[in-house]
Structure formats: C-alpha cells, structure tokens
C-alpha cells in the first residue's frame, strides 16, 4: 500500500524556522518526482515545490523562493521541506504528494501555524 | 503564471442529478489537467488525469473532457458520497496552479 506520512508541523513565531518530513512507503521512491502542496485554513490548494528523482532539479512557487528548501533522502525514502523566515501567510496544512505535477497520491497533511 | 478559473464556485444538486464543472486555463495547457475531490478534513484524491483518464478505483460516473483551455468534469449521477469540493490542476508549466474549487452541496 502506498503511504505518505508527514510530520513536523507545529506552532512557530513569525520569522522562525521549521522542517517538515514525509516518510514514503509502498512504492519505488526513486522513480517519482515528489512535491509539497499546502492549503491555508478555509482556502484552496497551492503547489509549493517539487523535486526530481535524484534531487538535482527543484522548483518553487515564487512566494517561498529563497525561504523554503525542498530535499529528499532516497536511501531513507523521505522528503523534506525546510522552511525559514516563516510568515503568517505560510499558515496551512502541508501535504506531501507523489509526482511532480500529476499528483496521484497524497499524505494526510501536517499543520503549520505561524503566529506570535 | 497560468490562471485556472473554475465555474461555478458552488452548486446545489440532488442525488441522481447530472453535474458538470468547468475549468478554463488562461493559456493552452494541452491535456495536462487533473481533477481532484476533497472532503472536509481529508486530503485531496485524484479522480481524473491527463484531462480524460479515470484514476484507477474511481467510479465510472466521473468523467473528464477537454483540451487546450477548456475542460469539464462531469458526474453522471450524483451520489451521496460525491458531496465535496472539486479542484482542477494544471501541470503543463510552472508554477503548478489549481482552480479555486467548486463546492458541491446537497439541495
């Protein structure tokens, strides 16, 4: 069974940092691009970033460029999102998603709240 | 950026109704479009990929059509479990962009 399990969400102050993780299982991790998608409370879905098979190609939505870094550890079948300089508008549920654009499998999400 | 405009933003329908949701792209995206269903408190679930291909395990009452800039998701006979919010997504170019969502409610 394909599983994506996110962790690391928390309450953090504006300007702070947080690292999200996603543990993947049930599929060949190295065969898939991976992505992060977020959803602010009561709002729609927003693609955040993706990464290719070996981590050599990364793409970001403009609003997080220079602040967020996506990475992967293929030996551990894990995906990460390092989030720095967090702002209130980064508050959202963050989903780990399989694939770089045709998002076919989603984790259950982890909640990030940026507030003082 | 490619803007994805869904219509309507919400609709009320009865069990058994035929329902259609439209997604328009601000520029051509070929068939690089997916449709997703999201229920409250849950992660989205893919229904359709490449505009018209049914995701494995998804009931055949769901169908997708379109190419270029205009796309449609159709539910042929609405079932109680179909009441949810639906999103389109373009994966033709960066940044990937979603429509704003269509909430399907019970009449």
């Amino acid at each position: 069974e394909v599983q994506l399990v996110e962790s690391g969400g928390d309450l953090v102050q504006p300007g702070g940092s947080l690292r999200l993780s996603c543990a993947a299982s049930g599929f060949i991790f190295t065969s898939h691009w991976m992505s992060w998608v977020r959803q602010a409370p009561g709002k729609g879905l927003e693609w955040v970033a993706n990464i290719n098979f070996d981590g050599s190609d990364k793409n970001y939505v403009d609003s997080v460029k220079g602040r967020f870094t996506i990475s992967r550890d293929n030996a551990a079948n894990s995906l990460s999102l390092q989030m720095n300089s967090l702002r209130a508008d980064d508050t959202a549920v963050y989903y780990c998603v399989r694939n770089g654009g045709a998002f076919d499998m989603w984790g259950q999400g982890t909640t990030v709240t940026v507030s003082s | 950026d490619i803007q994805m405009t869904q219509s309507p933003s919400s609709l009320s329908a009865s069990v058994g109704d035929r329902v259609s949701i439209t997604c328009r792209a601000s520029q051509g995206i070929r068939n690089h479009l997916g449709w997703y269903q999201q229920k409250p408190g849950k992660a989205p679930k893919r229904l359709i990929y490449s505009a018209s291909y049914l995701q494995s395990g998804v009931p055949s009452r769901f169908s997708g059509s379109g190419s270029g800039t205009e796309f449609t998701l159709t539910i042929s006979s609405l079932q109680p479990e179909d009441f949810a919010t639906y999103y389109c997504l373009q994966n033709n170019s960066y940044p990937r962009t979603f429509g704003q969502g269509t909430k399907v409610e019970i009449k």
Side-chain angles (χ1 to χ4, degrees), chain B residues 69-81:
Chain B
T69 61
E70 188 153 337
F71 302 85
T72 301
L73 173 70
T74 299
I75 309 171
S76 60
S77 177
L78 200 64
Q79 297 302 301
E81 59 268 30

Side-chain angles (χ1 to χ4, degrees), chain A residues 5 13-16 22 30-31 46 48 53-54 56 63-64 78 80-81 84 95 103 109:
Chain A
V5 180
Q13 292 190 339
C22 170
T30 52
S31 294
E46 181 183 38
V48 174
F53 314 102
D54 64 3
S56 61
S63 59
V64 309
S78 70
S80 296
L81 186 68
N84 299 329
Y95 294 102
F103 306 139

Side-chain angles (χ1 to χ4, degrees), chain A residues 70-112:
Chain A
I70 189 171
S71 61
R72 64 192 295 161
D73 180 345
N74 285 341
N77 286 355
S78 70
L79 178 73
S80 296
L81 186 68
Q82 176 67 42
M83 304 186 295
N84 299 329
S85 303
L86 282 161
R87 311 185 305 218
D89 62 357
D90 294 317
T91 293
V93 174
Y94 285 73
Y95 294 102
C96 170
V97 186
R98 190 173 74 171
N99 217 310
F103 306 139
D104 60 344
M105 296 299 302
W106 298 60
Q108 85 289 348
T110 189
T111 300
V112 173

Side-chain angles (χ1 to χ4, degrees), chain A residues 54-73:
Chain A
D54 64 3
S56 61
D57 188 7
K58 306 173 185 181
N59 299 280
Y60 301 91
V61 69
D62 281 351
S63 59
V64 309
K65 280 180 184 173
R67 300 189 300 123
F68 290 11
T69 302
I70 189 171
S71 61
R72 64 192 295 161
D73 180 345

